[in-house]
């Protein structure tokens, strides 16, 4: 695909305010590649979402998101079903979409990927809450402990970056009580006392924690990782292994896979997706195969087990 005119969605608040400098660098890299850029900066989240929908229905060749995974979420919602391609200039804390698609963090290299115009269709997942409201995500939906960790990490002023997650995890594990889950995967129901249940459309969240290490972003399936209730000491020793994905070999971890997953739990627990709070359980999560198209490197990412 030939890419000449792009709409750039910019989140200057990405990485707790560090995104403004990253946006300036990214725009310079896009300009250096001869791309005609229309800048779109939202006044707030609602305005940013409106701009994303305008961009998705415009005559631009692509939407380019300059920001983190939360900013990408707005583009996913706006672009699905329109045929508009999405490019990424990663400028967030986690950048797990970029990691899943093999997109470089370096802005010059990321701009080169966008200019090359190589496309890849990937899946999204849709969450439907108990009140009927819906949203989509591209990486991981987290409930239980990992949602609580994300919630605490988002409130920490320091440290900035990925170090917030292990600090938040230790604090939450110290006071954690298990949740009783009722989980239905493609019509089959199980009940478990768990500390977390995570649904992955791709492998990682939180800046590279491989909670669903076998998930593939274009296979039409969702991967579910369950961590059974256990001692705090076992949880503290489990947490570091999530970065490598080796936690799945531990006896307290269970994995499932399906196209439609229903999560219910007591007491009620929050659910996060792509690092942002969606609401409270219960929730139904369904795969949307090939829902959006990204601009990606020509060499497939390690995640791909499907043709690209």
């Amino acid at each position: 695909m030939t890419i000449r005119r792009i709409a750039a969605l910019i989140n200057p608040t990405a990485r707790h305010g560090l995104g403004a400098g990253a946006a300036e660098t990214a725009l310079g890299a896009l300009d250096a590649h001869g791309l005609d850029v229309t800048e779109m900066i939202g006044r707030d989240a609602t305005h940013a979402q409106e701009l994303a929908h305008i961009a998705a229905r415009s005559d631009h060749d692509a939407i380019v998101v300059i920001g983190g995974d939360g900013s990408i979420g707005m583009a996913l919602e706006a672009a699905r079903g329109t045929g508009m391609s999405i490019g990424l200039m990663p400028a967030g804390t986690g950048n797990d979409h970029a990691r899943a698609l093999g997109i470089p963090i370096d802005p010059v290299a990321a701009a080169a990927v966008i200019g090359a115009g190589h496309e890849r269709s990937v899946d999204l997942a849709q969450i439907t809450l108990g009140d009927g409201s819906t949203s989509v995500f591209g990486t991981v939906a987290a409930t239980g402990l990992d949602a609580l960790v994300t919630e605490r990490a988002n409130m920490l002023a320091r440290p900035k970056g990925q170090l917030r997650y292990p600090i938040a995890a230790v604090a939450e594990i110290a006071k954690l009580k298990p949740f009783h889950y009722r989980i239905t995967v493609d019509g089959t129901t199980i009940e478990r006392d768990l500390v977390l249940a995570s649904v992955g459309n791709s492998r990682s969240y939180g800046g590279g924690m491989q909670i669903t290490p076998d998930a593939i972003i274009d296979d039409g399936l969702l991967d579910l990782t369950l961590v059974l209730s256990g001692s705090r000491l076992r949880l503290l020793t489990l947490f570091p292994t999530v970065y490598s994905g080796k936690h799945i070999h531990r006896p307290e971890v269970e994995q499932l896979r399906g196209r439609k997953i229903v999560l219910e739990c007591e007491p009620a627990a929050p659910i996060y997706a792509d690092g942002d709070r969606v609401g409270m359980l219960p929730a139904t999560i369904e795969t949307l195969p090939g829902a959006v198209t990204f601009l990606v490197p020509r060499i497939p990412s390690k995640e791909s087990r499907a043709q690209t």
Side-chain angles (χ1 to χ4, degrees):
M1 179 182 180
T2 301
I3 304 293
R4 290 193 172 89
R5 299 181 64 246
I6 63 173
L9 299 178
I10 301 169
N11 180 10
T13 65
R15 297 183 64 195
H16 294 265
L18 299 178
E24 184 177 350
T25 302
L27 290 169
L30 293 168
D31 183 67
H33 276 272
L35 297 170
D36 182 6
V37 181
T38 301
E39 296 181 35
M40 294 184 164
I41 307 174
R43 295 184 301 271
D44 51 35
T46 300
H47 185 222
Q49 188 66 74
E50 291 173 359
L51 292 178
H53 281 278
I54 291 170
R57 287 153 180 81
S58 70
D59 60 356
H60 291 87
D61 298 319
I63 298 173
V64 173
V65 179
I66 303 175
D69 290 313
S71 302
I72 294 167
M74 292 186 291
L76 298 179
E77 187 70 60
R80 63 171 174 147
T82 68
M84 178 68 76
S85 295
I86 301 173
L88 302 184
M89 299 288 285
T93 302
N95 299 317
D96 287 292
H97 281 93
R99 184 173 288 101
L101 296 165
I103 296 171
I105 301 298
D106 175 72
V108 174
V113 169
I114 292 165
H118 183 64
E119 298 178 310
R120 178 181 175 188
S121 294
V122 302
D123 307 336
L124 293 180
Q126 178 172 279
I127 299 175
T128 303
L129 297 180
D131 62 3
S133 61
T134 64
S135 59
V136 297
F137 67 93
T139 59
V140 175
T143 75
L145 172 64
D146 44 2
L148 296 174
V149 168
T150 299
E151 204 158 67
R152 179 178 288 268
N154 287 344
M155 293 188 295
L156 291 176
R158 285 184 173 80
K160 296 186 183 299
Q162 297 173 19
L163 283 176
R164 294 179 302 149
Y165 291 96
I167 292 172
V170 171
E172 288 298 329
I173 289 171
K175 64 184 184 66
L176 182 69
K177 294 182 180 179
F179 299 87
H180 183 75
Y181 277 82
R182 187 173 187 269
I183 299 169
T184 303
V185 180
D186 291 343
T188 300
T189 300
I190 61 172
E191 295 195 32
R192 299 283 191 275
D193 287 331
L194 304 172
V195 295
L196 68 83
S198 292
V199 179
N201 183 51
S202 66
R203 291 180 178 179
S204 71
Y205 63 180
M209 291 187 286
Q210 297 189 56
I211 188 66
T212 48
D214 295 327
I216 302 298
I217 203 168
D218 59 1
D219 66 352
L221 296 169
L222 298 168
D223 283 38
L224 175 63
T225 294
L226 311 177
V227 177
L228 301 173
S229 177
S231 71
R232 289 180 175 84
L233 178 60
R234 289 188 68 85
L235 286 176
L236 286 169
T237 60
L238 179 145
F239 180 77
T241 67
V242 176
Y243 283 92
S244 64
K246 293 181 179 179
H247 62 289
I248 63 172
H249 303 300
R250 295 176 60 130
E252 64 267 37
V253 177
E254 185 175 351
Q255 290 189 291
L256 301 168
R257 180 176 291 150
R259 291 178 171 82
K260 181 178 180 180
I261 297 170
V262 181
L263 299 177
E264 305 167 272
C265 80
E266 295 178 3
I271 179 169
Y272 275 69
D274 290 343
D276 287 340
R277 186 182 175 110
V278 176
M280 300 291 288
L281 296 182
T284 299
I285 305 175
E286 300 175 84
T287 185
L288 303 175
V292 292
T293 301
F294 278 96
L295 299 172
V296 300
R298 289 190 178 276
I299 300 174
S301 76
K302 293 180 180 180
E303 286 204 0
S304 182
R305 72 161 80 101
Q307 69 270 15
T308 59

